[in-house]
mmCIF file with all atom_site columns, all heavy atoms in Angstrom:
data_model
loop_
_atom_site.group_PDB
_atom_site.id
_atom_site.type_symbol
_atom_site.label_atom_id
_atom_site.label_alt_id
_atom_site.label_comp_id
_atom_site.label_asym_id
_atom_site.label_entity_id
_atom_site.label_seq_id
_atom_site.pdbx_PDB_ins_code
_atom_site.Cartn_x
_atom_site.Cartn_y
_atom_site.Cartn_z
_atom_site.occupancy
_atom_site.B_iso_or_equiv
_atom_site.pdbx_formal_charge
_atom_site.auth_seq_id
_atom_site.auth_comp_id
_atom_site.auth_asym_id
_atom_site.auth_atom_id
_atom_site.pdbx_PDB_model_num
ATOM 1   N N   . LEU A 1 9   ? -7.261  4.035  -5.145  1.00 0.00 ? 9   LEU A N   1
ATOM 2   C CA  . LEU A 1 9   ? -8.038  4.081  -6.387  1.00 0.00 ? 9   LEU A CA  1
ATOM 3   C C   . LEU A 1 9   ? -8.320  2.672  -6.900  1.00 0.00 ? 9   LEU A C   1
ATOM 4   O O   . LEU A 1 9   ? -9.434  2.362  -7.326  1.00 0.00 ? 9   LEU A O   1
ATOM 5   C CB  . LEU A 1 9   ? -7.279  4.897  -7.433  1.00 0.00 ? 9   LEU A CB  1
ATOM 6   C CG  . LEU A 1 9   ? -7.932  5.015  -8.820  1.00 0.00 ? 9   LEU A CG  1
ATOM 7   C CD1 . LEU A 1 9   ? -9.310  5.641  -8.715  1.00 0.00 ? 9   LEU A CD1 1
ATOM 8   C CD2 . LEU A 1 9   ? -7.044  5.819  -9.753  1.00 0.00 ? 9   LEU A CD2 1
ATOM 9   N N   . PHE A 1 12  ? -10.918 1.060  -4.733  1.00 0.00 ? 12  PHE A N   1
ATOM 10  C CA  . PHE A 1 12  ? -12.226 1.597  -5.097  1.00 0.00 ? 12  PHE A CA  1
ATOM 11  C C   . PHE A 1 12  ? -12.748 0.921  -6.358  1.00 0.00 ? 12  PHE A C   1
ATOM 12  O O   . PHE A 1 12  ? -13.939 0.587  -6.462  1.00 0.00 ? 12  PHE A O   1
ATOM 13  C CB  . PHE A 1 12  ? -12.137 3.103  -5.300  1.00 0.00 ? 12  PHE A CB  1
ATOM 14  C CG  . PHE A 1 12  ? -13.344 3.705  -5.967  1.00 0.00 ? 12  PHE A CG  1
ATOM 15  C CD1 . PHE A 1 12  ? -14.508 3.959  -5.248  1.00 0.00 ? 12  PHE A CD1 1
ATOM 16  C CD2 . PHE A 1 12  ? -13.312 4.019  -7.321  1.00 0.00 ? 12  PHE A CD2 1
ATOM 17  C CE1 . PHE A 1 12  ? -15.621 4.497  -5.874  1.00 0.00 ? 12  PHE A CE1 1
ATOM 18  C CE2 . PHE A 1 12  ? -14.421 4.563  -7.943  1.00 0.00 ? 12  PHE A CE2 1
ATOM 19  C CZ  . PHE A 1 12  ? -15.578 4.807  -7.215  1.00 0.00 ? 12  PHE A CZ  1
ATOM 20  N N   . VAL A 1 13  ? -11.867 0.701  -7.337  1.00 0.00 ? 13  VAL A N   1
ATOM 21  C CA  . VAL A 1 13  ? -12.276 0.069  -8.586  1.00 0.00 ? 13  VAL A CA  1
ATOM 22  C C   . VAL A 1 13  ? -12.815 -1.333 -8.319  1.00 0.00 ? 13  VAL A C   1
ATOM 23  O O   . VAL A 1 13  ? -13.869 -1.720 -8.841  1.00 0.00 ? 13  VAL A O   1
ATOM 24  C CB  . VAL A 1 13  ? -11.075 0.013  -9.552  1.00 0.00 ? 13  VAL A CB  1
ATOM 25  C CG1 . VAL A 1 13  ? -11.351 -0.943 -10.700 1.00 0.00 ? 13  VAL A CG1 1
ATOM 26  C CG2 . VAL A 1 13  ? -10.753 1.400  -10.082 1.00 0.00 ? 13  VAL A CG2 1
ATOM 27  N N   . VAL A 1 14  ? -12.118 -2.096 -7.483  1.00 0.00 ? 14  VAL A N   1
ATOM 28  C CA  . VAL A 1 14  ? -12.535 -3.471 -7.180  1.00 0.00 ? 14  VAL A CA  1
ATOM 29  C C   . VAL A 1 14  ? -13.878 -3.469 -6.456  1.00 0.00 ? 14  VAL A C   1
ATOM 30  O O   . VAL A 1 14  ? -14.813 -4.201 -6.823  1.00 0.00 ? 14  VAL A O   1
ATOM 31  C CB  . VAL A 1 14  ? -11.468 -4.191 -6.340  1.00 0.00 ? 14  VAL A CB  1
ATOM 32  C CG1 . VAL A 1 14  ? -11.987 -5.552 -5.890  1.00 0.00 ? 14  VAL A CG1 1
ATOM 33  C CG2 . VAL A 1 14  ? -10.191 -4.342 -7.144  1.00 0.00 ? 14  VAL A CG2 1
ATOM 34  N N   . ILE A 1 15  ? -14.010 -2.647 -5.409  1.00 0.00 ? 15  ILE A N   1
ATOM 35  C CA  . ILE A 1 15  ? -15.244 -2.618 -4.629  1.00 0.00 ? 15  ILE A CA  1
ATOM 36  C C   . ILE A 1 15  ? -16.421 -2.138 -5.468  1.00 0.00 ? 15  ILE A C   1
ATOM 37  O O   . ILE A 1 15  ? -17.520 -2.708 -5.431  1.00 0.00 ? 15  ILE A O   1
ATOM 38  C CB  . ILE A 1 15  ? -15.069 -1.710 -3.390  1.00 0.00 ? 15  ILE A CB  1
ATOM 39  C CG1 . ILE A 1 15  ? -14.008 -2.322 -2.448  1.00 0.00 ? 15  ILE A CG1 1
ATOM 40  C CG2 . ILE A 1 15  ? -16.379 -1.539 -2.652  1.00 0.00 ? 15  ILE A CG2 1
ATOM 41  C CD1 . ILE A 1 15  ? -13.641 -1.431 -1.291  1.00 0.00 ? 15  ILE A CD1 1
ATOM 42  N N   . ALA A 1 16  ? -16.198 -1.085 -6.254  1.00 0.00 ? 16  ALA A N   1
ATOM 43  C CA  . ALA A 1 16  ? -17.266 -0.553 -7.092  1.00 0.00 ? 16  ALA A CA  1
ATOM 44  C C   . ALA A 1 16  ? -17.681 -1.565 -8.149  1.00 0.00 ? 16  ALA A C   1
ATOM 45  O O   . ALA A 1 16  ? -18.869 -1.733 -8.448  1.00 0.00 ? 16  ALA A O   1
ATOM 46  C CB  . ALA A 1 16  ? -16.817 0.743  -7.753  1.00 0.00 ? 16  ALA A CB  1
ATOM 47  N N   . GLY A 1 17  ? -16.694 -2.268 -8.732  1.00 0.00 ? 17  GLY A N   1
ATOM 48  C CA  . GLY A 1 17  ? -17.022 -3.258 -9.734  1.00 0.00 ? 17  GLY A CA  1
ATOM 49  C C   . GLY A 1 17  ? -17.864 -4.395 -9.158  1.00 0.00 ? 17  GLY A C   1
ATOM 50  O O   . GLY A 1 17  ? -18.848 -4.831 -9.774  1.00 0.00 ? 17  GLY A O   1
ATOM 51  N N   . VAL A 1 18  ? -17.480 -4.878 -7.979  1.00 0.00 ? 18  VAL A N   1
ATOM 52  C CA  . VAL A 1 18  ? -18.240 -5.960 -7.338  1.00 0.00 ? 18  VAL A CA  1
ATOM 53  C C   . VAL A 1 18  ? -19.664 -5.503 -6.993  1.00 0.00 ? 18  VAL A C   1
ATOM 54  O O   . VAL A 1 18  ? -20.646 -6.215 -7.225  1.00 0.00 ? 18  VAL A O   1
ATOM 55  C CB  . VAL A 1 18  ? -17.505 -6.445 -6.063  1.00 0.00 ? 18  VAL A CB  1
ATOM 56  C CG1 . VAL A 1 18  ? -18.388 -7.407 -5.273  1.00 0.00 ? 18  VAL A CG1 1
ATOM 57  C CG2 . VAL A 1 18  ? -16.192 -7.107 -6.433  1.00 0.00 ? 18  VAL A CG2 1
ATOM 58  N N   . GLY A 1 61  ? -25.191 0.190  -13.315 1.00 0.00 ? 61  GLY A N   1
ATOM 59  C CA  . GLY A 1 61  ? -24.449 0.598  -14.509 1.00 0.00 ? 61  GLY A CA  1
ATOM 60  C C   . GLY A 1 61  ? -23.517 1.770  -14.251 1.00 0.00 ? 61  GLY A C   1
ATOM 61  O O   . GLY A 1 61  ? -22.375 1.798  -14.717 1.00 0.00 ? 61  GLY A O   1
ATOM 62  N N   . ILE A 1 62  ? -24.014 2.749  -13.470 1.00 0.00 ? 62  ILE A N   1
ATOM 63  C CA  . ILE A 1 62  ? -23.181 3.911  -13.135 1.00 0.00 ? 62  ILE A CA  1
ATOM 64  C C   . ILE A 1 62  ? -21.978 3.504  -12.307 1.00 0.00 ? 62  ILE A C   1
ATOM 65  O O   . ILE A 1 62  ? -20.850 3.959  -12.531 1.00 0.00 ? 62  ILE A O   1
ATOM 66  C CB  . ILE A 1 62  ? -24.005 4.971  -12.370 1.00 0.00 ? 62  ILE A CB  1
ATOM 67  C CG1 . ILE A 1 62  ? -25.046 5.614  -13.301 1.00 0.00 ? 62  ILE A CG1 1
ATOM 68  C CG2 . ILE A 1 62  ? -23.117 6.040  -11.765 1.00 0.00 ? 62  ILE A CG2 1
ATOM 69  C CD1 . ILE A 1 62  ? -24.454 6.443  -14.409 1.00 0.00 ? 62  ILE A CD1 1
ATOM 70  N N   . VAL A 1 63  ? -22.185 2.608  -11.342 1.00 0.00 ? 63  VAL A N   1
ATOM 71  C CA  . VAL A 1 63  ? -21.092 2.163  -10.482 1.00 0.00 ? 63  VAL A CA  1
ATOM 72  C C   . VAL A 1 63  ? -20.035 1.398  -11.284 1.00 0.00 ? 63  VAL A C   1
ATOM 73  O O   . VAL A 1 63  ? -18.832 1.614  -11.113 1.00 0.00 ? 63  VAL A O   1
ATOM 74  C CB  . VAL A 1 63  ? -21.642 1.306  -9.327  1.00 0.00 ? 63  VAL A CB  1
ATOM 75  C CG1 . VAL A 1 63  ? -20.495 0.676  -8.545  1.00 0.00 ? 63  VAL A CG1 1
ATOM 76  C CG2 . VAL A 1 63  ? -22.503 2.140  -8.393  1.00 0.00 ? 63  VAL A CG2 1
ATOM 77  N N   . ILE A 1 64  ? -20.479 0.531  -12.187 1.00 0.00 ? 64  ILE A N   1
ATOM 78  C CA  . ILE A 1 64  ? -19.529 -0.193 -13.034 1.00 0.00 ? 64  ILE A CA  1
ATOM 79  C C   . ILE A 1 64  ? -18.780 0.768  -13.949 1.00 0.00 ? 64  ILE A C   1
ATOM 80  O O   . ILE A 1 64  ? -17.562 0.622  -14.158 1.00 0.00 ? 64  ILE A O   1
ATOM 81  C CB  . ILE A 1 64  ? -20.263 -1.264 -13.856 1.00 0.00 ? 64  ILE A CB  1
ATOM 82  C CG1 . ILE A 1 64  ? -20.795 -2.375 -12.932 1.00 0.00 ? 64  ILE A CG1 1
ATOM 83  C CG2 . ILE A 1 64  ? -19.347 -1.860 -14.923 1.00 0.00 ? 64  ILE A CG2 1
ATOM 84  C CD1 . ILE A 1 64  ? -21.609 -3.421 -13.641 1.00 0.00 ? 64  ILE A CD1 1
ATOM 85  N N   . TRP A 1 65  ? -19.470 1.745  -14.485 1.00 0.00 ? 65  TRP A N   1
ATOM 86  C CA  . TRP A 1 65  ? -18.832 2.742  -15.354 1.00 0.00 ? 65  TRP A CA  1
ATOM 87  C C   . TRP A 1 65  ? -17.755 3.514  -14.593 1.00 0.00 ? 65  TRP A C   1
ATOM 88  O O   . TRP A 1 65  ? -16.657 3.727  -15.111 1.00 0.00 ? 65  TRP A O   1
ATOM 89  C CB  . TRP A 1 65  ? -19.891 3.685  -15.885 1.00 0.00 ? 65  TRP A CB  1
ATOM 90  C CG  . TRP A 1 65  ? -19.348 4.883  -16.596 1.00 0.00 ? 65  TRP A CG  1
ATOM 91  C CD1 . TRP A 1 65  ? -18.780 4.923  -17.847 1.00 0.00 ? 65  TRP A CD1 1
ATOM 92  C CD2 . TRP A 1 65  ? -19.290 6.219  -16.092 1.00 0.00 ? 65  TRP A CD2 1
ATOM 93  N NE1 . TRP A 1 65  ? -18.383 6.197  -18.144 1.00 0.00 ? 65  TRP A NE1 1
ATOM 94  C CE2 . TRP A 1 65  ? -18.689 7.012  -17.083 1.00 0.00 ? 65  TRP A CE2 1
ATOM 95  C CE3 . TRP A 1 65  ? -19.700 6.830  -14.913 1.00 0.00 ? 65  TRP A CE3 1
ATOM 96  C CZ2 . TRP A 1 65  ? -18.479 8.379  -16.927 1.00 0.00 ? 65  TRP A CZ2 1
ATOM 97  C CZ3 . TRP A 1 65  ? -19.500 8.176  -14.740 1.00 0.00 ? 65  TRP A CZ3 1
ATOM 98  C CH2 . TRP A 1 65  ? -18.891 8.938  -15.740 1.00 0.00 ? 65  TRP A CH2 1
ATOM 99  N N   . LEU A 1 66  ? -18.062 3.902  -13.334 1.00 0.00 ? 66  LEU A N   1
ATOM 100 C CA  . LEU A 1 66  ? -17.053 4.588  -12.521 1.00 0.00 ? 66  LEU A CA  1
ATOM 101 C C   . LEU A 1 66  ? -15.861 3.682  -12.249 1.00 0.00 ? 66  LEU A C   1
ATOM 102 O O   . LEU A 1 66  ? -14.704 4.131  -12.225 1.00 0.00 ? 66  LEU A O   1
ATOM 103 C CB  . LEU A 1 66  ? -17.669 5.049  -11.197 1.00 0.00 ? 66  LEU A CB  1
ATOM 104 C CG  . LEU A 1 66  ? -18.536 6.300  -11.210 1.00 0.00 ? 66  LEU A CG  1
ATOM 105 C CD1 . LEU A 1 66  ? -19.138 6.565  -9.843  1.00 0.00 ? 66  LEU A CD1 1
ATOM 106 C CD2 . LEU A 1 66  ? -17.718 7.509  -11.670 1.00 0.00 ? 66  LEU A CD2 1
ATOM 107 N N   . ALA A 1 67  ? -16.119 2.404  -12.034 1.00 0.00 ? 67  ALA A N   1
ATOM 108 C CA  . ALA A 1 67  ? -15.022 1.464  -11.791 1.00 0.00 ? 67  ALA A CA  1
ATOM 109 C C   . ALA A 1 67  ? -14.111 1.363  -13.007 1.00 0.00 ? 67  ALA A C   1
ATOM 110 O O   . ALA A 1 67  ? -12.875 1.349  -12.891 1.00 0.00 ? 67  ALA A O   1
ATOM 111 C CB  . ALA A 1 67  ? -15.583 0.097  -11.417 1.00 0.00 ? 67  ALA A CB  1
ATOM 112 N N   . VAL A 1 68  ? -14.715 1.267  -14.198 1.00 0.00 ? 68  VAL A N   1
ATOM 113 C CA  . VAL A 1 68  ? -13.915 1.173  -15.412 1.00 0.00 ? 68  VAL A CA  1
ATOM 114 C C   . VAL A 1 68  ? -13.086 2.437  -15.627 1.00 0.00 ? 68  VAL A C   1
ATOM 115 O O   . VAL A 1 68  ? -11.892 2.389  -15.963 1.00 0.00 ? 68  VAL A O   1
ATOM 116 C CB  . VAL A 1 68  ? -14.820 0.903  -16.625 1.00 0.00 ? 68  VAL A CB  1
ATOM 117 C CG1 . VAL A 1 68  ? -14.041 0.990  -17.928 1.00 0.00 ? 68  VAL A CG1 1
ATOM 118 C CG2 . VAL A 1 68  ? -15.483 -0.466 -16.510 1.00 0.00 ? 68  VAL A CG2 1
ATOM 119 N N   . GLU A 1 69  ? -13.709 3.603  -15.419 1.00 0.00 ? 69  GLU A N   1
ATOM 120 C CA  . GLU A 1 69  ? -12.989 4.869  -15.588 1.00 0.00 ? 69  GLU A CA  1
ATOM 121 C C   . GLU A 1 69  ? -11.860 4.984  -14.557 1.00 0.00 ? 69  GLU A C   1
ATOM 122 O O   . GLU A 1 69  ? -10.774 5.493  -14.870 1.00 0.00 ? 69  GLU A O   1
ATOM 123 C CB  . GLU A 1 69  ? -13.962 6.058  -15.444 1.00 0.00 ? 69  GLU A CB  1
ATOM 124 C CG  . GLU A 1 69  ? -14.957 6.186  -16.575 1.00 0.00 ? 69  GLU A CG  1
ATOM 125 C CD  . GLU A 1 69  ? -14.300 6.529  -17.893 1.00 0.00 ? 69  GLU A CD  1
ATOM 126 O OE1 . GLU A 1 69  ? -13.159 7.028  -17.890 1.00 0.00 ? 69  GLU A OE1 1
ATOM 127 O OE2 . GLU A 1 69  ? -14.921 6.301  -18.940 1.00 0.00 ? 69  GLU A OE2 1
ATOM 128 N N   . GLY A 1 70  ? -12.096 4.530  -13.350 1.00 0.00 ? 70  GLY A N   1
ATOM 129 C CA  . GLY A 1 70  ? -11.049 4.546  -12.337 1.00 0.00 ? 70  GLY A CA  1
ATOM 130 C C   . GLY A 1 70  ? -9.895  3.644  -12.686 1.00 0.00 ? 70  GLY A C   1
ATOM 131 O O   . GLY A 1 70  ? -8.725  3.978  -12.458 1.00 0.00 ? 70  GLY A O   1
ATOM 132 N N   . LEU A 1 71  ? -10.202 2.472  -13.278 1.00 0.00 ? 71  LEU A N   1
ATOM 133 C CA  . LEU A 1 71  ? -9.149  1.554  -13.698 1.00 0.00 ? 71  LEU A CA  1
ATOM 134 C C   . LEU A 1 71  ? -8.303  2.170  -14.805 1.00 0.00 ? 71  LEU A C   1
ATOM 135 O O   . LEU A 1 71  ? -7.065  2.091  -14.770 1.00 0.00 ? 71  LEU A O   1
ATOM 136 C CB  . LEU A 1 71  ? -9.777  0.244  -14.175 1.00 0.00 ? 71  LEU A CB  1
ATOM 137 C CG  . LEU A 1 71  ? -8.802  -0.829 -14.686 1.00 0.00 ? 71  LEU A CG  1
ATOM 138 C CD1 . LEU A 1 71  ? -7.859  -1.245 -13.573 1.00 0.00 ? 71  LEU A CD1 1
ATOM 139 C CD2 . LEU A 1 71  ? -9.589  -2.030 -15.220 1.00 0.00 ? 71  LEU A CD2 1
ATOM 140 N N   . LEU A 1 72  ? -8.945  2.787  -15.787 1.00 0.00 ? 72  LEU A N   1
ATOM 141 C CA  . LEU A 1 72  ? -8.198  3.433  -16.874 1.00 0.00 ? 72  LEU A CA  1
ATOM 142 C C   . LEU A 1 72  ? -7.344  4.568  -16.346 1.00 0.00 ? 72  LEU A C   1
ATOM 143 O O   . LEU A 1 72  ? -6.191  4.763  -16.762 1.00 0.00 ? 72  LEU A O   1
ATOM 144 C CB  . LEU A 1 72  ? -9.182  3.962  -17.927 1.00 0.00 ? 72  LEU A CB  1
ATOM 145 C CG  . LEU A 1 72  ? -9.958  2.905  -18.708 1.00 0.00 ? 72  LEU A CG  1
ATOM 146 C CD1 . LEU A 1 72  ? -10.972 3.575  -19.633 1.00 0.00 ? 72  LEU A CD1 1
ATOM 147 C CD2 . LEU A 1 72  ? -9.024  2.006  -19.503 1.00 0.00 ? 72  LEU A CD2 1
ATOM 148 N N   . PHE A 1 192 ? -12.666 12.514 -11.793 1.00 0.00 ? 192 PHE A N   1
ATOM 149 C CA  . PHE A 1 192 ? -11.849 12.343 -10.613 1.00 0.00 ? 192 PHE A CA  1
ATOM 150 C C   . PHE A 1 192 ? -10.824 13.460 -10.373 1.00 0.00 ? 192 PHE A C   1
ATOM 151 O O   . PHE A 1 192 ? -10.430 13.691 -9.226  1.00 0.00 ? 192 PHE A O   1
ATOM 152 C CB  . PHE A 1 192 ? -11.098 11.023 -10.678 1.00 0.00 ? 192 PHE A CB  1
ATOM 153 C CG  . PHE A 1 192 ? -11.982 9.800  -10.593 1.00 0.00 ? 192 PHE A CG  1
ATOM 154 C CD1 . PHE A 1 192 ? -12.308 9.090  -11.743 1.00 0.00 ? 192 PHE A CD1 1
ATOM 155 C CD2 . PHE A 1 192 ? -12.487 9.364  -9.387  1.00 0.00 ? 192 PHE A CD2 1
ATOM 156 C CE1 . PHE A 1 192 ? -13.123 7.973  -11.687 1.00 0.00 ? 192 PHE A CE1 1
ATOM 157 C CE2 . PHE A 1 192 ? -13.299 8.248  -9.308  1.00 0.00 ? 192 PHE A CE2 1
ATOM 158 C CZ  . PHE A 1 192 ? -13.635 7.549  -10.463 1.00 0.00 ? 192 PHE A CZ  1
#
Side-chain angles (χ1 to χ4, degrees):
L9 178 59
F12 167 79
V13 166
V14 173
I15 295 173
V18 171
I62 291 294
V63 172
I64 292 176
W65 170 74
L66 282 176
V68 172
E69 291 294 340
L71 179 61
L72 294 175
F192 293 102

